[in-house]
Amino acid sequence: IILFNAFNFLELNWKKQFLLLAEKKLNFIKTKSKTLFSAELIILLTFTLSGLVIIIDFKNSNMAADLVATIQSIQLFQTNLNNIAKSYSDFKGTLIFIEDYMKFIHINPRNEVKLNKIEKLHRLEVKNLWFRYPHNNFDTLKGISFNINPGKKIAIVGENGSGKTTLIKCIAGLYSKENLPIFINGIPIKEVDIESLQDRMSVLFQDFISYELTVRENIGISSSSNMDDNIRLQNVAEKVNLLEIINKLPNRFDSLLGRYFEGGNELSGGQWQKIALGRALFRESDLIILDEPTAALDPVSEKEILEDILNECDKSIIIVTHRLGVASLADEILVMKDGQIVESGTHNELLSLNGEYKKMYESQSHWYNLQKGVLI
Ligand code: ADP
């Protein structure tokens, strides 16, 4: 707020919202007062009427007894009326939640089809995938097809908004799987037990979470049953170039990260990203999906880490990246534009096409010497 000098803008917006809300409240109070006034009027009239009846009937009856009986009956009537009104308003209030509850219950009815559990992910195929977000009037993915076999490394490149993240969210089973033409080991994804599929995947999104927990927990959370395996933790930390930094922390893997709790150790943005990458690698999976996993890293660390992962890891990997230095390490590069795969092939094949990839390459080539894979 200070850096963007955004205080006036925010205050203005806040005031606008406040006034809107105040007007709504005022209207509500007016309606409530009118209703209360009518109710009070009815009660007053009832009392007056009863008084008149007593006065008229005075000669023939015992006045005191009549007065007590009348007042009691009016009070009883009033209490019952209040109870009815309260029950009605409670009922209306609860009904709002019941409607939500019923909608929720009817989402994705289970047990209609016998779902197949995925023990190991051998093959993932995407066949002519079209995808539109609810409430959008355009398709985000338009006829995407590709497949991934064991050990294959795929890089997805393309400008912002071309649909890369949407594609990996579909593959990861995060969106409705009912009509998606995605096949897992040859089985349509709608017939797959999605949790068992997600168990075989490890996904790192751009907006990963930095837990204010220990290093061990931050990395090990992706496979909590193996969290105490120090050798495994060390291997992962080494892969993501963090071992040296972790060794310098007061309690090594058991050091608290973040500044929220006393004694916590704050990391840099790049170090947090390495932790998140370590988390993705720690999990026992057949497919690792990385969405811009190194955006916060400097190009030298990025190259060191990803070269290692892409060359040595025997798992399948899908990596979304803007950097062609990273993409060039993959077995296949998919170039996305406006929801479509416009080019696919290896780095050299794509360069010889003289198309989108070549354009991207030329705009980035002053950053990299891609022949050597290092910074110029
Ligand atoms: P990329 O990862 O290539 O930058 P995204 O897959 O994140 O692209 O987004 C592609 C397009 O899909 C966006 O431009 C936006 O129009 C649309 N989109 C993404 N997420 C949503 C969403 N949650 N709801 C509606 N539309 C979305």
Side-chain angles (χ1 to χ4, degrees):
I1 290 169
I2 292 170
L3 288 180
F4 291 138
N5 198 7
F7 183 77
N8 287 345
F9 168 79
L10 290 175
E11 194 197 16
L12 205 74
N13 258 312
W14 181 84
K15 271 189 181 158
K16 219 158 64 185
Q17 295 300 327
F18 176 80
L19 288 177
L20 263 176
L21 196 69
E23 199 182 305
K24 278 190 180 170
K25 272 188 183 166
L26 193 69
N27 284 340
F28 175 73
I29 291 171
K30 276 184 194 165
T31 321
K32 193 174 147 192
S33 307
K34 278 183 200 161
T35 318
L36 273 179
F37 177 74
S38 314
E40 299 275 340
L41 202 67
I42 292 173
I43 291 167
L44 191 71
L45 282 176
T46 319
F47 267 110
T48 317
L49 208 67
S50 324
L52 282 176
V53 170
I54 293 165
I55 291 166
I56 293 166
D57 207 25
F58 175 64
K59 287 177 198 151
N60 314 328
S61 64
N62 180 341
M63 189 180 157
D66 271 2
L67 199 63
V68 171
T70 312
I71 288 173
Q72 269 183 355
S73 64
I74 291 171
Q75 274 174 345
L76 202 65
F77 175 71
Q78 218 180 333
T79 316
N80 284 339
L81 207 63
N82 272 345
N83 285 344
I84 290 171
K86 191 172 174 315
S87 302
Y88 181 71
S89 83
D90 283 353
F91 174 71
K92 285 294 259 189
T94 314
L95 205 62
I96 298 170
F97 297 104
I98 296 282
E99 274 169 19
D100 283 348
Y101 173 73
M102 294 315 272
K103 271 190 207 154
F104 176 72
I105 287 289
H106 287 106
I107 293 173
N108 191 14
R110 285 175 179 255
N111 302 329
E112 283 186 355
V113 198
K114 171 129 183 32
L115 297 175
N116 297 279
K117 281 207 185 295
I118 301 296
E119 304 291 341
K120 190 156 178 63
L121 177 56
H122 296 293
R123 188 173 165 78
L124 188 148
E125 294 159 281
V126 180
K127 294 184 184 170
N128 194 22
L129 169 62
W130 288 73
F131 183 84
R132 178 180 292 205
Y133 282 100
H135 312 302
N136 275 3
N137 57 2
F138 59 91
D139 293 310
T140 291
L141 299 178
K142 303 170 189 161
I144 301 284
S145 300
F146 72 95
N147 57 57
I148 185 156
N149 298 324
K152 189 170 173 184
K153 316 285 186 279
I154 290 186
I156 306 179
V157 299
E159 53 201 34
N160 286 333
S162 55
K164 304 180 297 292
T165 302
T166 306
L167 175 59
I168 61 172
K169 284 186 173 166
C170 287
I171 294 171
L174 293 177
Y175 291 150
S176 163
K177 54 184 188 128
E178 294 309 313
N179 297 312
L180 299 185
I182 297 173
F183 299 83
I184 312 295
N185 301 345
I187 306 166
I189 196 167
K190 69 172 178 190
E191 293 169 23
V192 164
D193 178 303
I194 214 73
E195 279 166 23
S196 73
L197 171 65
Q198 286 165 346
D199 271 352
R200 304 309 311 157
M201 289 182 178
S202 188
V203 191
L204 170 63
F205 286 112
Q206 270 169 295
D207 47 356
F208 58 87
I209 300 177
S210 308
Y211 298 99
E212 306 265 343
L213 300 170
T214 61
V215 179
R216 178 188 300 284
E217 289 160 332
N218 258 290
I219 295 177
I221 199 165
S222 60
S223 175
S224 44
S225 54
N226 292 309
M227 213 182 255
D228 294 329
D229 187 340
N230 286 335
I231 309 253
R232 194 172 160 144
L233 275 172
Q234 280 199 5
N235 284 339
V236 165
E238 208 164 359
K239 271 203 180 112
V240 295
N241 275 356
L242 264 185
L243 197 55
E244 211 177 308
I245 290 153
I246 294 171
N247 281 338
K248 283 186 193 151
L249 292 173
N251 297 315
R252 301 190 63 237
F253 281 98
D254 294 307
S255 312
L256 199 58
L257 295 183
R259 278 269 168 251
Y260 194 78
F261 297 108
E262 212 180 318
N265 303 273
E266 187 54 296
L267 299 180
S268 72
Q271 287 165 343
W272 271 118
Q273 190 155 44
K274 287 179 184 176
I275 290 269
L277 191 57
R279 189 181 302 150
L281 298 180
F282 188 77
R283 188 172 164 85
E284 209 174 281
S285 60
D286 306 317
L287 172 63
I288 302 177
I289 301 179
L290 305 170
D291 187 358
E292 293 278 349
T294 46
L297 300 192
D298 60 88
V300 176
S301 315
E302 177 189 51
K303 184 186 158 281
E304 277 173 10
I305 293 175
L306 289 180
E307 209 167 48
D308 202 27
I309 294 174
L310 287 165
N311 289 337
E312 287 179 23
C313 184
D314 54 353
K315 299 170 183 177
S316 313
I317 297 180
I318 299 178
I319 180 165
V320 173
T321 180
H322 274 106
R323 306 203 192 169
L324 301 194
V326 174
S328 65
L329 302 168
D331 302 323
E332 187 180 10
I333 303 168
L334 309 177
V335 183
M336 286 191 67
K337 190 177 182 183
D338 193 22
Q340 289 173 306
I341 295 178
V342 288
E343 287 167 13
S344 65
T346 62
H347 174 70
N348 287 333
E349 284 166 359
L350 290 181
L351 281 186
S352 61
L353 280 182
N354 257 335
E356 283 300 319
Y357 188 81
K358 181 75 182 282
K359 264 194 242 162
M360 288 170 70
Y361 171 72
E362 278 168 356
S363 69
Q364 289 189 16
S365 57
H366 61 284
W367 297 349
Y368 293 101
N369 178 348
L370 288 175
Q371 295 298 310
K372 293 182 190 158
V374 294
L375 265 179
I376 291 174

